[in-house]
Amino acid sequence: MKLNKQSKIILLSLFLPLILLSKEINFIEEESIKKSFIPSFQSGTGSLDYNNANFQYTTDSPSPKDFDYKLYQPARIRANKNFTVITELKNSTIPESSKELASVGIEIYQRKNLSNRFATELSCARLEGYFSRTVFSQLVEFGEKTSSCYSEDLRLAEVTTVKIDYIANNKVFYISYLQDEEWIKVGSFGIAGSGGENGNAQWKIKNNENLLLYIYGFSTNMNVYEGDIQIKSLKIEK
């Protein structure tokens, strides 16, 4: 079918909002990155710093709880709108005991109640004595973990792309990761009391509420060296 000039303009105007609403954060522009990622929560010697077009998490003197969070602004994600977050994560740490753990990921908070949150990460730990690298997710309500899940594959690649899909009509987060060009399902969590396969919480969130998006690194009793843990890319689709 041949389109005239007016039809082409109308068609472009219909699809332009879809184009504009997909935003991949450019990790090359250092000044823009430093303005967009705001230091938020930090504990111990955990440090999440921008370096060589990546965010890298390191520790100096390990403690039982080291972490560093950066708030991304402007994420512009709302409870009444679908959105997708895609991030490429690296975690090459090797915990040597069940007391050691290191992870890197995305955490989404209810803006009006920061004790309600949902996290997805690439985590390295020891499960029943064996080394594991998994996509791990958990749901928190009023500061208490209500439920969690992790990928069936316990030996994921050091660099793994993780996706969070949020569906507004039932207020459910769906988690998956990319393997051999296919998205592998991990689990789902509802924040309005139902809909999640792996657990639900009741955040009592209103449709017009904003959500906050953080990137973070976390570790327990581990030396994490430069290059071990990285956030290599971040993309938000709405």
Side-chain angles (χ1 to χ4, degrees):
M1 180 179 67
K2 188 174 181 180
L3 299 176
N4 59 34
K5 185 176 180 181
Q6 185 178 8
S7 298
K8 289 179 180 179
I9 292 173
I10 293 172
L11 188 61
L12 180 60
S13 68
L14 289 173
F15 283 98
L16 187 57
L18 300 178
I19 297 169
L20 294 176
L21 290 176
S22 178
K23 181 176 183 180
E24 184 164 7
I25 291 89
N26 187 348
F27 275 19
I28 303 299
E29 297 178 358
E30 183 172 355
E31 290 304 315
S32 175
I33 288 295
K34 289 181 177 180
K35 291 178 182 178
S36 297
F37 290 88
I38 313 301
S40 300
F41 317 128
Q42 196 275 336
S43 177
T45 63
S47 183
L48 183 64
D49 300 302
Y50 178 78
N51 186 23
N52 294 327
N54 297 290
F55 276 94
Q56 302 199 44
Y57 175 77
T58 57
T59 60
D60 288 334
S61 302
S63 77
K65 185 177 286 188
D66 297 310
F67 58 78
D68 193 9
Y69 282 67
K70 298 284 192 297
L71 171 66
Y72 174 63
Q73 292 183 329
R76 295 195 181 97
I77 52 178
R78 301 173 68 90
N80 63 345
K81 300 290 184 181
N82 295 348
F83 63 84
T84 297
V85 179
I86 301 173
T87 182
E88 186 180 28
L89 306 172
K90 178 186 177 183
N91 190 344
S92 61
T93 59
I94 307 291
E96 296 181 353
S97 77
S98 60
K99 295 181 179 180
E100 297 181 347
L101 179 148
S103 60
V104 58
I106 302 293
E107 193 150 23
I108 296 173
Y109 283 68
Q110 182 180 4
R111 184 172 184 174
K112 291 186 176 181
N113 186 348
L114 297 181
S115 64
N116 291 335
R117 58 190 187 271
F118 159 78
T120 293
E121 62 187 32
L122 183 62
S123 175
C124 289
R126 290 273 171 180
L127 294 177
E128 299 180 354
Y130 295 95
F131 170 77
S132 68
R133 183 184 294 110
T134 64
V135 172
F136 174 80
S137 297
Q138 68 174 6
L139 181 64
V140 174
E141 180 181 10
F142 301 118
E144 299 292 332
K145 182 175 75 173
T146 63
S147 49
S148 62
C149 68
Y150 52 85
S151 56
E152 291 185 4
D153 189 340
L154 303 182
R155 292 290 185 93
L156 295 178
E158 290 184 359
V159 179
T160 297
T161 299
V162 178
K163 181 172 69 166
I164 301 168
D165 288 304
Y166 173 76
I167 305 302
N169 65 354
N170 58 357
K171 293 183 172 59
V172 173
F173 289 104
Y174 298 87
I175 310 100
S176 57
Y177 65 91
L178 190 62
Q179 189 174 72
D180 298 327
E181 299 184 353
E182 181 181 354
W183 289 107
I184 309 299
K185 178 183 174 181
V186 177
S188 62
F189 299 92
I191 59 172
S194 63
E197 293 184 7
N198 300 91
N200 298 287
Q202 182 51 265
W203 285 10
K204 297 181 180 179
I205 191 167
K206 296 179 180 178
N207 281 332
N208 61 353
E209 282 190 50
N210 291 323
L211 297 166
L212 302 177
L213 189 150
Y214 294 82
I215 61 173
Y216 69 90
F218 178 92
S219 56
T220 297
N221 300 316
M222 280 200 69
N223 285 303
V224 181
Y225 302 103
E226 185 174 340
D228 286 350
I229 286 182
Q230 297 178 339
I231 299 173
K232 304 175 75 66
S233 68
L234 179 64
K235 183 178 182 181
I236 302 172
E237 299 175 348
K238 293 181 283 185

